[in-house]
Amino acid sequence: MSLIENIIRPDVRALAAYHVQDAAGVLKLDAMENPYTLPAELRTELGQRLADVALNRYPVPSYAKLKAQICATQGVPAGYDVVLGNGSDELIAIMSIACAKPGAKVLAPVPGFVMYAMSAQLAGLEFIGVDLLPDFTLDTAAMLETIRRERPAITYLAYPNNPTGGLFDEAAMVEILHAVGDTGVVVVDEAYQPFALTSFMPRLAEFPNLIVMRTVSKLGLAGIRLGYMSGSAALLREFDKVRPPYNINVLTQAAAEFVLGHSDVLNAQAADLRAQRSALAAALAALPGVEVFPSAANFLLIRVQGDGVSANDVFARLLDRKVLVKNVGKMHALLQNCLRITVSTAQENAVFLDAFTASLAS
Ligand SMILES: *Cc1c(COP(=O)(O)O)cnc(C)c1O
C-alpha cells in the first residue's frame, strides 16, 4: 500500500477535485458574482481602514461589534444573535460536525447546493436527496414522507434554490418545519436573499428548530468569505462550540464592518441586478427553443431544447466566444440541457445575449 492508501479515507480518495474553470480573459457568468465594485471614494476609505488593522493581533473571537452590526442591518429579530462563518460553506461544515452522531442523516431537495452533500459526507453523515418535481418545485409529499421515515438531523432548504433559482412554496416549507419538529434542524439557506426580497428571518420565533443562514458572497463580497446564521440561542450555543475561534480574519472583519455601514450601496446594486434579471429573462424567453425558469436569485436557469442543438453545444460555442456560463446538465437528470447564467450589468448581459443568440445557430 502507498502512503496515500495507508492514510487517506477511501471516500476522500474517490472524490474528484473541485474543478474551477479557468476564467482568464472571458466574460465570467458562472459563479453568481456581483459585477459591481465599490465606488472609488469608498474603496479609498476602505483602504485606509484596512491599513489601520492590527495584523499582528489575533481577532477578538467574540466578534461582538460585527455581529451586532449584522443583527442591526440584516433584519435579525430582536433578541436573536448570529454565528459567523468563513463563508456559509464553513457554517454548513460546523453544523455537520456538531450533528454527526452515529447514524445521523442530512436531507435536501435535489438538484441543490452541492456543499450540503459534500459536507455531510466528510463529517460522516448520510446524505439523502429528494428529487424536485420536473418544474423544480418541491415534492412536498416525498419530502414529508422521507422526513418521517429517515428523521434527518439536518434538512436544508435553499430559498431561493441553487441551481434552479426558484423560491419553494412557503406553506410547504412550514409543513416541513413542523414535520421535522424536535428531531432535527431545518436550515433555510438564504444566500440569494438580496435578490428575493422574502425571508424566513422574521419567522425565527415561530420555529425553535429553524436556522436561517445567509452570506455576503452574492451581495458583492464573495472575496472576503463571510457567512452568518441565526436561530435559537440554545442551538447557536452548541454550533458556536464547533466554530474555530478565530475563523473570521481581521481584514474580513474590518472590511465587513465598513461595507455594512454603507449597505445602501450594496442594496442599490442588488436592485439594479433584479431589474436586469427581468430584462434578461424576457430576452431569453423570446428566443426560439429556450425555456427560462422563474428566478428569485441573481442567476437564470434555462433549458435549451432547439432542433439539433444541445446545451453542451451552446456551452462550448459560448466558451469559444469567450463567455463562461455554468453547464449544469450533468448535475442531475432533471437538469438535462440546462445552463445557469449569472445576471450581470446591462452591458455584460447584452454581450452575453449576442454570443448566446449566435451560439444557438452555430
Ligand atoms: C453561493 C451559495 C452559498 C454561498 O456560500 P459562501 O461560502 O458563503 O460563498 C451558500 N448557499 C447557496 C445555496 C449558494 O448558492
Side-chain angles (χ1 to χ4, degrees):
M1 289 234 280
S2 71
L3 169 64
I4 298 304
E5 285 167 347
N6 281 330
I7 63 168
I8 305 295
R9 285 159 41 175
D11 63 321
V12 172
R13 277 189 274 132
L15 286 175
Y18 190 79
H19 176 70
V20 178
Q21 178 101 28
D22 182 15
V26 303
L27 174 54
K28 197 170 178 314
L29 301 176
D30 65 327
M32 285 79 89
E33 290 150 331
N34 177 344
Y36 295 109
T37 55
L38 292 175
E41 331 73 268
L42 288 188
R43 270 189 283 163
T44 306
E45 212 183 313
L46 172 61
Q48 190 53 54
R49 292 286 186 93
L50 295 182
D52 291 341
V53 168
L55 298 180
N56 55 322
R57 301 291 177 196
Y58 280 102
V60 178
S62 67
Y63 299 107
K65 180 175 172 213
L66 178 55
K67 293 205 301 188
Q69 201 180 1
I70 288 172
C71 289
T73 60
Q74 305 303 306
V76 178
Y80 281 79
D81 198 2
V82 291
V83 170
L84 304 182
N86 189 320
S88 22
D89 288 352
E90 188 183 46
L91 296 172
I92 294 167
I94 285 172
M95 289 187 280
S96 300
I97 292 166
C99 296
K101 288 166 75 172
K105 295 169 185 176
V106 172
L107 175 81
V110 289
F113 188 46
V114 290
M115 290 310 295
Y116 307 148
M118 176 86 174
S119 174
Q121 183 197 329
L122 291 178
L125 295 94
E126 182 189 344
F127 178 80
I128 302 162
V130 173
D131 282 358
L132 293 172
L133 296 171
D135 64 355
F136 302 126
T137 58
L138 270 183
D139 187 342
T140 310
M143 287 292 292
L144 295 173
E145 203 254 321
T146 309
I147 286 164
R148 291 188 181 114
R149 189 182 62 240
E150 306 284 354
R151 287 290 155 206
I154 307 175
T155 298
Y156 288 100
L157 295 168
Y159 188 70
N161 190 43
N162 174 14
T164 54
L167 287 166
F168 296 139
D169 179 63
E170 189 173 341
M173 291 170 67
V174 168
E175 274 192 85
I176 287 168
L177 278 152
H178 286 307
V180 168
D182 65 1
T183 64
V185 292
V186 176
V187 180
V188 175
D189 179 352
E190 299 189 347
Y192 300 95
Q193 191 274 334
F195 311 103
L197 302 180
T198 178
S199 173
F200 270 72
M201 196 71 95
R203 303 190 67 171
L204 276 175
E206 286 175 60
F207 308 103
N209 61 348
L210 171 62
I211 292 283
V212 175
M213 182 169 71
R214 302 240 188 101
T215 175
V216 299
S217 292
K218 310 302 166 21
L219 192 55
L221 300 169
I224 73 172
R225 313 302 301 130
L226 180 68
Y228 59 94
M229 60 181 172
S230 192
S232 78
L235 274 175
L236 293 194
R237 193 156 44 238
E238 299 306 319
F239 290 145
D240 205 45
K241 294 178 192 169
V242 178
R243 181 181 61 83
Y246 304 118
N247 63 331
I248 308 303
N249 76 72
V250 289
L251 293 173
T252 292
Q253 186 185 350
E257 287 173 4
F258 176 76
V259 180
L260 288 176
H262 298 276
S263 293
D264 51 324
V265 175
L266 298 183
N267 292 341
Q269 294 175 353
D272 175 72
L273 292 168
R274 291 194 302 270
Q276 295 306 330
R277 174 180 69 204
S278 307
L280 183 61
L284 284 168
L287 296 172
V290 178
E291 182 180 7
V292 183
F293 293 95
S295 171
N298 64 339
F299 62 86
L300 294 171
L301 184 77
I302 65 168
R303 177 169 283 132
V304 177
Q305 47 197 1
D307 283 338
V309 61
S310 70
N312 287 340
D313 298 335
V314 175
F315 174 79
R317 292 169 189 169
L318 278 171
L319 207 48
D320 285 343
R321 295 182 166 94
K322 302 260 177 269
V323 176
L324 177 64
V325 299
K326 184 86 175 176
N327 189 359
V328 294
K330 283 203 212 56
M331 273 183 63
H332 191 278
L334 288 170
L335 291 172
Q336 242 185 45
N337 273 326
C338 286
L339 299 172
R340 190 191 65 194
I341 300 133
T342 306
V343 175
S344 188
T345 61
Q347 187 198 357
E348 290 194 351
N349 293 341
V351 171
F352 162 75
L353 264 175
D354 280 349
F356 182 80
T357 309
S359 299
L360 282 177
S362 64

